Amino acid sequence: MNGSEEMTVSGMSAGRSAMRMGPAELVQAAAMARRFYLEGKSKIQIAEEFGVSRFKVARVLETALERDLVRIEIRVPAELDAERSDALRARYGLRHAVVVESPAEAEESPDPENLGEVAADLLGELVNEGDVLGLAWGRSTIHMAAALNRLPPCTVVQLTGVYDAGTAERGSVEAVRRAAQVSGGDAHPIYAPMLLPDEATAAALRNQTGIARAFEYFDKVTVACVSIGSWAPGISTVHDMLSEEERAHYASLGVAAEMSAHLFDAEGRRIGRDLGERCITVKAEQLRRIPEVVAIAGGQRKAAAIDAVLRSGLVTSLVTDTAAADYLMTAGQPPKPALNRADPDGA
């Protein structure tokens, strides 16, 4: 049994219901329970030791649970909500869903820092030696990288340009370097803005040696970490980088969310694909081929956007908070399983 589970064999003091068993039965049941739950022995091994059939062992163990002779507790750290996590995973067909308690100020502060800390622990589980880890720009991924303390040897590549090239050293570039430092692997940062004035400038930048080298790794990424933004000031990088006229244009198309400079409507369909031609970012088709894409996003203000991106099928796992999870559990009809990874647009 692992550290999150506790088993108590209470013997003769088990309570009135257990006292209906005779003393010999109680002693035998307690002994069998110890062998099975604490020592990890199989029912066949226990049957051989006590000279009974494995079917009797199964009945005794079942009775021990029913009569409160054995108590099993499943415990996780206080900040994790195991019930919401499992329900959210099942609803969206995700591979992993981790829900943490929302801080008191969650409504005003989407993507609280504790999401990044939990995501760092999750990446420590998901990344294997020799993997290629991709990090997209986002406050949550920056928090995640800062919280990393263990990571197997792997290559780390930046998946998007940065919000402001002048702050690259304090944002995505530093996140990539930090992850590579923890893992002991190579780092491939991108020193370029995410959004460029026109397609020609973006194309020219993609051909620059350092950026082109990072792009070569996009098809090799095995685990990616991304952020999700709502179409509103302060909670969408792309929204804040565009002009008022451009924002109005994409809003008229029904944009509800953005992820790595890709825009989605409320049903998870990609819209405004022309914007991607002006951006330094991994393609949606490449994201769809990555085996594990972990999104980090939370807060009530981002809840609808998270739902939209999950419906796109691009994300396989989610780290979020209770504020967003409560919305997601009642957000319209359950979507098709994300692990199907089908494109809602059929493209």
Side-chain angles (χ1 to χ4, degrees):
M1 302 189 61
N2 61 43
S4 65
E5 301 180 9
E6 181 178 287
M7 198 284 290
T8 301
V9 180
S10 48
M12 292 292 291
S13 61
R16 293 182 179 179
S17 60
M19 288 303 294
R20 286 197 292 266
M21 299 175 69
E25 291 177 304
L26 276 170
V27 171
Q28 185 182 68
M32 288 183 176
R34 285 186 181 279
R35 305 293 193 278
F36 186 72
Y37 291 107
L38 297 182
E39 299 175 15
K41 291 188 176 181
S42 69
K43 294 174 184 177
I44 293 177
Q45 289 174 314
I46 297 171
E48 290 176 350
E49 178 181 349
F50 286 87
V52 298
S53 71
R54 62 185 176 90
F55 301 105
K56 179 174 181 178
V57 173
R59 287 196 301 272
V60 170
L61 293 175
E62 184 179 350
T63 301
L65 284 171
E66 290 174 350
R67 299 192 178 184
D68 206 25
L69 179 64
V70 172
R71 299 172 186 172
I72 299 174
E73 296 179 5
I74 307 299
R75 298 188 298 180
V76 296
E79 69 272 16
L80 297 183
D81 192 313
E83 185 175 350
R84 282 186 175 92
S85 297
D86 188 55
L88 196 60
R89 178 200 57 76
R91 176 177 172 83
Y92 286 90
L94 297 168
R95 186 171 291 118
H96 303 284
V98 182
V99 179
V100 304
E101 288 291 336
S102 301
E105 68 278 11
E107 186 172 351
E108 298 299 326
S109 303
D111 299 345
E113 290 190 22
N114 64 334
L115 292 186
E117 295 168 1
V118 173
D121 288 340
L122 179 61
L123 281 190
E125 293 183 58
L126 299 181
V127 176
N128 296 307
E129 183 173 351
D131 276 348
V132 177
L133 172 63
L135 301 181
W137 195 96
R139 296 180 185 88
S140 56
T141 52
I142 292 171
H143 292 155
M144 180 277 300
L148 281 172
N149 53 35
R150 65 184 178 96
L151 206 60
C154 64
T155 299
V156 187
V157 60
Q158 193 169 322
L159 296 179
T160 65
V162 298
Y163 176 55
D164 180 353
T167 63
E169 294 291 338
R170 302 191 300 275
S172 299
V173 170
E174 178 56 31
V176 169
R177 286 178 171 171
R178 166 66 181 167
Q181 180 184 35
V182 173
S183 74
D186 293 333
H188 295 277
I190 294 177
Y191 293 94
M194 181 187 294
L195 179 66
L196 282 304
D198 53 62
E199 296 180 14
T201 304
L205 273 179
R206 291 189 199 103
N207 288 326
Q208 287 190 358
T209 304
I211 297 175
R213 186 177 299 116
F215 268 59
E216 289 174 357
Y217 277 92
F218 286 0
D219 287 327
K220 304 174 185 177
V221 173
T222 50
V223 180
C225 192
V226 300
S227 298
I228 295 173
S230 298
W231 199 246
I235 47 178
S236 166
T237 301
V238 174
H239 178 280
D240 292 347
M241 294 168 71
L242 294 173
S243 67
E244 285 291 343
E245 182 179 355
E246 290 170 323
R247 292 171 189 166
H249 166 67
Y250 292 115
S252 70
L253 299 179
V255 60
E258 63 96 355
M259 180 182 69
S260 303
H262 301 294
L263 308 183
F264 305 87
D265 68 10
E267 298 302 318
R269 294 182 292 258
R270 286 183 59 214
I271 60 175
R273 298 189 183 212
D274 59 305
L275 182 65
E277 298 302 317
R278 295 169 49 195
C279 293
I280 302 297
T281 185
V282 62
K283 295 179 180 179
E285 294 76 13
Q286 291 173 311
L287 278 173
R288 199 176 299 280
R289 292 194 294 268
I290 296 174
E292 186 74 78
V293 179
V294 181
I296 313 171
Q300 293 180 6
R301 296 170 65 194
K302 281 193 175 182
I306 297 170
D307 175 63
V309 172
L310 292 182
R311 290 175 184 275
S312 75
L314 291 174
V315 170
T316 61
S317 297
L318 175 69
V319 178
T320 191
D321 61 5
T322 52
D326 286 344
Y327 173 92
L328 293 171
M329 289 307 300
T330 58
Q333 293 296 318
K336 61 186 178 183
L339 293 184
N340 188 22
R341 310 301 294 280
D343 190 335
D345 305 332

